[in-house]
Amino acid sequence: MTKNILVIGGTRYIGRLLVQRLLRAGHRVTVATRGYAPDPFGERIARVRVDRRNETAMRNAFADAGPFDVVYDQMCYNPLDAAIAVRTFAGRVGRYVMASTIDAYRVLGYDHGRPLTESGLAIEAQTIDTGYPWHDPCRATECYVAGKVQAEAYLVRDGSLPLVVPRLAHVLGGPEDFTGRLAHYVELARLNGVLEYANADAALSFLPLRGAADFLVWVGMQQFTGAVNAACDGALSAARLFERVGAVLDTPVRTRRAAAGAAPGRLSPFDVPGPMVLDTARAQALGYRFGHSDEWIDDTIQLHDLAFV
């Protein structure tokens, strides 16, 4: 059945692929962005140019729009954004999908003895700090994890939106991946650099870019609510990922455990002091299958190598 869908932040990376998938499925799609980045969708979508962080602009922009069957909010980063979503869409959306991340579990610390479940993060108990300068661009990196957690906590406590929160594993894409995280490992291997790591067994969960978009599409078409983890089997630590890069590129790579006292997470992307692996039992019980990282990660590494200069 055709649905009327709004995607907030749909012009690059996961959001762009999400819009593509929704259009292929025959849905009516509106994309809301600040209008700075071009998109390839032409007249196939409607567009709303708006600053997601400006409540007055948001409420004015959507005063006569909708109602929407699904809103995918790719740009809800903190409790202030969450409050704007509530005051803009409450009572006017059938399903509100706030994209979240494995990084939300960082508030629990590291070195867990088992995969992380959705209920392990007691979201209702999280403190919400509305006085923090969440929209200060200079603090975007330092407040990312706390912001995502508190955004979810705000929406859960408010209860006005039919909320589902996909907590996505680290997403790996090809050269279009603006984060440059996987590219870092490919470049380091090609330059014969040495990877320093904190813990060779500190595995993380991953998803391919296409898999992340496909999962979001699926989530939007379901009826369940609440948090749901998304990850492939085959978690990898930073050291093991670098070794995988070397194997794919047929290039010897060198690794070295960092000296005691080195700041965890500062050595390279995906370097953490302990494992953070997502338990995907809930998604699987609901009917979704993710597959294994062995099925796609080598091809993704090769795409970065082709782009390496």
Side-chain angles (χ1 to χ4, degrees):
M1 184 177 74
T2 298
K3 294 183 181 292
N4 187 26
I5 297 175
L6 171 66
V7 180
I8 303 174
T11 58
R12 68 174 184 169
Y13 206 43
I14 299 174
R16 184 167 173 166
L17 201 57
L18 170 62
V19 171
Q20 181 188 82
R21 296 291 200 269
L22 293 170
L23 289 173
R24 285 182 179 176
H27 300 296
R28 288 181 289 128
V29 180
T30 299
V31 171
T33 71
R34 290 177 297 175
Y36 298 156
D39 68 72
F41 303 116
E43 296 181 355
R44 292 180 292 166
I45 65 171
R47 293 173 182 79
V48 174
R49 185 169 182 174
V50 64
D51 183 350
R52 169 67 179 80
R53 296 185 163 185
N54 184 317
E55 180 176 345
T56 300
M58 283 285 287
R59 296 179 73 172
N60 288 340
F62 294 104
D64 299 317
F68 295 102
D69 297 303
V70 186
V71 170
Y72 287 97
D73 197 342
Q74 303 291 99
M75 307 296 290
C76 187
Y77 289 124
N78 55 65
L80 301 186
D81 295 343
I84 291 171
V86 167
R87 292 192 280 265
T88 302
F89 298 114
R92 305 177 60 216
V93 58
R95 190 163 179 77
Y96 176 85
V97 182
M98 182 201 125
S100 191
T101 168
I102 185 176
D103 283 329
Y105 291 101
R106 288 179 183 245
V107 299
L108 301 178
Y110 296 91
D111 203 17
H112 304 281
R114 62 186 65 184
L116 297 157
T117 64
E118 294 87 351
S119 60
L121 178 54
I123 200 68
E124 299 89 346
Q126 299 299 316
T127 300
I128 298 174
D129 183 1
T130 57
Y132 185 85
W134 296 106
H135 288 167
D136 181 349
C138 296
R139 300 175 185 247
T141 300
E142 71 181 53
C143 73
Y144 176 73
V145 173
K148 275 294 188 183
V149 171
Q150 292 189 34
E152 184 179 347
Y154 183 99
L155 293 168
V156 168
R157 290 184 198 176
D158 177 82
S160 299
L161 297 174
L163 175 68
V164 59
V165 182
R167 294 177 184 159
L168 304 180
H170 292 294
V171 177
L172 297 182
E176 73 275 23
D177 183 351
F178 65 92
T179 68
R181 294 178 297 185
L182 184 55
H184 169 85
Y185 290 93
V186 173
E187 292 173 8
L188 189 65
R190 284 305 187 199
L191 295 173
N192 197 32
V194 179
L195 178 80
E196 287 195 292
Y197 62 88
N199 181 351
D201 297 320
L204 293 172
S205 292
F206 292 97
L207 265 179
L209 174 59
R210 294 179 182 275
D214 289 342
F215 183 69
L216 289 174
V217 172
W218 178 81
V219 163
M221 304 303 118
Q222 306 306 304
Q223 299 298 317
F224 69 86
T225 57
V228 58
N229 289 337
C232 288
D233 292 334
L236 293 166
S237 67
R240 301 292 179 249
L241 177 60
F242 190 49
E243 291 168 358
R244 184 69 171 256
V245 168
V248 171
L249 304 185
D250 195 22
T251 298
V253 295
R254 297 179 293 158
T255 62
R256 178 175 62 232
R257 181 154 190 169
R266 304 281 183 180
L267 300 174
S268 70
F270 309 128
D271 185 83
V272 289
M276 292 187 67
V277 178
L278 295 183
D279 184 317
T280 60
R282 186 181 190 214
Q284 292 184 54
L286 290 164
Y288 200 86
R289 298 292 180 270
F290 294 100
H292 197 284
S293 60
D294 286 344
E295 298 168 3
W296 55 269
I297 198 165
D298 291 358
D299 289 342
T300 306
I301 291 169
Q302 288 173 340
L303 287 174
H304 280 280
D305 188 47
L306 290 172
F308 177 75
V309 178

